Amino acid sequence: MGTNAHNSGEVYTSDSEKGFAINHSHSTPPQEDAGLKFVLKSQGSWFHCGYHLTTSIVGPVLLTLPFSFTLLGWGGGVLWLTLAGLVTFYSYNLLSMVLEHHAQLGRRQLRFRDMARDILGHGWDKYYVGPLQFLICFGTVIGGPLVGGKSLKFIYALYNPDGSMKLYQFIIICGVITLLLAQLPSFHSLRHINLLSLVLSVTYSALVMIGSIYIGHSKDAPPRHYSLQGSHVDKLFGVFNGISIIATAYASGIIPEIQATLAEPVKGKMLKGLCLCYSVIAATFYCVGISGYWAFGNEASGTILANFIGKTETLLPKWFFLMTNIFILVQMMAMTAVYLQPTNELFETSFGDPKMGQFSMRNVIPRVLSRSLSVAAATTFAAMLPFFADILSLFGAFAFIPLDFILPMVFYNITFKPSKHSIIFWVNTLIAVVSSVLVVIGGIASIRQIILDAKTYHLFADV
């Protein structure tokens, strides 16, 4: 073996037998831990990767897209929906290219915090990327039982309008379902569930589109107005709040962990998975966003299904609401299971023993306890804070945008060092700078909305 100087000043070790160079400048050879060994098994195909990607992005949050249009208008809504889609696809592909590059150098990065440590240096993984990703994942796990609980409560009220059960009771039921899903041992074990999730997301999006078009053409169609409402200040903050909502809809702060599920060689597989995922996104986001806003205009509610209920009776048959809410419930549980994986991996790394078997008592007991306590805490938060949807827009500003719009650009520029005279360097820099501004302004707008809405909510509210 010999050492060669790389033109960037980094030191690589050549290995003629393996045919690649290993970068030793920023990292030491990875040690296998229980999280990598048991949770992030690299056994999947690009199809499986596509299922995971779709479930991580396409969820019930897309039902808020018509509402985001009320804040942005026709032009702004369609423009930002398209721009955010193009930027996130570009961003996720850059992340994939960086991951493939390091894999070819002999250092396969399987976690977002691995990328931060190897590319940005020690400390970035523990004090920035790791906490942001944990916030995103745990926040989504809180949102799972909450959204599922609201769907269950709606079905219950549909057939038993005078029933005495409260929202928090339905949230607990969904929390129990999440608790069972949390015990699935690895990310790869979710592949069949996530295929079902893909089918369900397309199905309930189609139902919502059909329902919107039907109501829009019916004699009970509400009057439609498309002008932005409120004072100039309200309109301005509304624009940035709408941007945060759409950014959250496209966000997936677990791209490296999803790519980690791919069996080697990984080259080109993530791009195929992204193409599958964004085909579903195009078929769902545009259909729901445009049809919902067309049907209800600036009266579109925070979730479009609320508009399907008239003042005295539902505008669609009961079976429509039953099917749609069941599909949303099941798909949301699958999405929650996906976002459990990075936290499961963290718990497994902290409490598991890679030298023992995955299903040995030494590993099973701490696995069940840590995952169960995590889900129990998330379910408690969901029951306490039924207005958590407002907090998700705050997550979109402070967590999703940095991980999905800023860091991929930084990682690519540091890893590949494109010329400062090249288009790709300035495109990446522009996206990172504009996204940084959106973090600040979108965060302020989200906090303002939380303060305004908090006046009407209380703990364990039955909303």
Side-chain angles (χ1 to χ4, degrees), residues 20-185:
F20 53 68
I22 304 175
N23 182 355
H24 294 291
S25 59
H26 296 303
S27 61
T28 56
Q31 295 182 350
E32 188 178 51
D33 56 54
L36 294 179
K37 184 176 181 181
F38 300 146
V39 179
L40 300 181
K41 293 181 177 180
S42 303
Q43 298 176 333
S45 66
W46 71 266
F47 272 117
H48 300 145
C49 179
Y51 305 156
H52 299 324
L53 283 166
T54 303
T55 303
S56 73
I57 300 175
V58 184
V61 69
L62 68 87
L63 300 178
T64 66
L65 292 177
F67 174 71
S68 70
F69 275 50
T70 68
L71 304 174
L72 299 168
W74 271 121
V78 174
L79 175 63
W80 181 245
L81 193 64
T82 302
L83 188 61
L86 293 173
V87 171
T88 51
F89 183 89
Y90 174 74
S91 173
Y92 298 156
N93 190 45
L94 288 190
L95 267 184
S96 175
M97 293 170 65
V98 172
L99 289 166
E100 288 181 1
H101 174 75
H102 284 277
Q104 290 174 348
L105 295 179
R107 168 85 183 185
R108 188 175 179 188
Q109 298 161 331
L110 302 175
R111 297 170 288 208
F112 221 132
R113 61 183 188 274
D114 292 340
M115 297 186 75
R117 181 186 63 247
D118 292 351
I119 298 173
L120 300 179
H122 288 284
W124 285 91
D125 54 334
K126 294 181 179 179
Y127 304 112
Y128 185 67
V129 172
L132 276 187
Q133 190 185 50
F134 184 84
L135 180 68
I136 287 171
C137 293
F138 192 68
T140 305
V141 175
I142 293 173
L146 174 58
V147 174
K150 287 188 174 184
S151 292
L152 270 183
K153 185 192 174 187
F154 184 88
I155 295 172
Y156 175 76
L158 195 64
Y159 291 94
N160 190 13
D162 298 322
S164 60
M165 290 186 69
K166 305 297 183 183
L167 176 60
Y168 73 87
Q169 294 172 293
F170 295 105
I171 291 174
I172 292 172
I173 293 172
C174 291
V176 172
I177 298 173
T178 304
L179 182 66
L180 297 175
L181 290 173
Q183 308 310 321
L184 291 172

Side-chain angles (χ1 to χ4, degrees), residues 106-374:
R107 168 85 183 185
R108 188 175 179 188
Q109 298 161 331
L110 302 175
R111 297 170 288 208
F112 221 132
R113 61 183 188 274
D114 292 340
M115 297 186 75
R117 181 186 63 247
D118 292 351
I119 298 173
L120 300 179
H122 288 284
W124 285 91
D125 54 334
K126 294 181 179 179
Y127 304 112
Y128 185 67
V129 172
L132 276 187
Q133 190 185 50
F134 184 84
L135 180 68
I136 287 171
C137 293
F138 192 68
T140 305
V141 175
I142 293 173
L146 174 58
V147 174
K150 287 188 174 184
S151 292
L152 270 183
K153 185 192 174 187
F154 184 88
I155 295 172
Y156 175 76
L158 195 64
Y159 291 94
N160 190 13
D162 298 322
S164 60
M165 290 186 69
K166 305 297 183 183
L167 176 60
Y168 73 87
Q169 294 172 293
F170 295 105
I171 291 174
I172 292 172
I173 293 172
C174 291
V176 172
I177 298 173
T178 304
L179 182 66
L180 297 175
L181 290 173
Q183 308 310 321
L184 291 172
S186 68
F187 211 141
H188 185 62
S189 63
L190 296 175
R191 61 194 183 280
H192 301 303
I193 293 175
N194 289 340
L195 172 58
L196 175 63
S197 169
L198 186 155
V199 174
L200 291 179
S201 63
V202 173
T203 304
Y204 70 69
S205 297
L207 286 172
V208 169
M209 179 188 68
I210 293 169
S212 296
I213 294 173
Y214 175 82
I215 293 173
H217 284 293
S218 70
K219 60 181 179 62
D220 298 320
R224 295 190 289 270
H225 304 284
Y226 301 109
S227 58
L228 300 182
Q229 296 179 315
S231 65
H232 291 299
V233 174
D234 289 336
K235 290 178 182 178
L236 179 61
F237 279 108
V239 166
F240 289 105
N241 198 26
I243 288 173
S244 294
I245 291 171
I246 293 178
T248 303
Y250 275 107
S252 175
I254 55 175
I255 295 296
E257 285 78 6
I258 290 176
Q259 186 151 334
T261 65
L262 288 170
E264 295 184 349
V266 299
K267 187 172 179 60
K269 293 180 180 178
M270 188 67 166
L271 179 58
K272 293 180 180 178
L274 278 170
C275 289
L276 172 61
C277 172
Y278 272 75
S279 297
V280 176
I281 286 175
T284 55
F285 282 30
Y286 283 94
C287 290
V288 172
I290 292 174
S291 66
Y293 187 54
W294 169 81
F296 302 102
N298 53 27
E299 295 299 320
S301 299
T303 173
I304 194 61
L305 288 179
N307 289 100
F308 292 175
I309 304 172
K311 295 181 180 179
T312 58
E313 60 181 6
T314 58
L315 302 178
L316 293 167
K318 286 187 177 181
W319 63 261
F320 176 92
F321 292 99
L322 177 63
M323 288 179 58
T324 304
N325 279 276
I326 288 176
F327 293 161
I328 290 172
L329 170 63
V330 176
Q331 200 266 333
M332 189 65 208
M333 293 297 97
M335 186 177 189
T336 306
V338 164
Y339 278 91
L340 275 167
Q341 299 313 305
T343 55
N344 288 347
E345 182 274 324
L346 184 62
F347 292 142
E348 206 92 350
T349 299
S350 301
F351 306 118
D353 185 352
K355 298 178 182 179
M356 302 292 288
Q358 181 177 10
F359 299 105
S360 64
M361 293 303 293
R362 165 63 183 83
N363 285 319
V364 168
I365 292 176
R367 178 185 304 133
V368 172
L369 288 176
S370 61
R371 296 183 182 191
S372 300
L373 289 174
S374 172

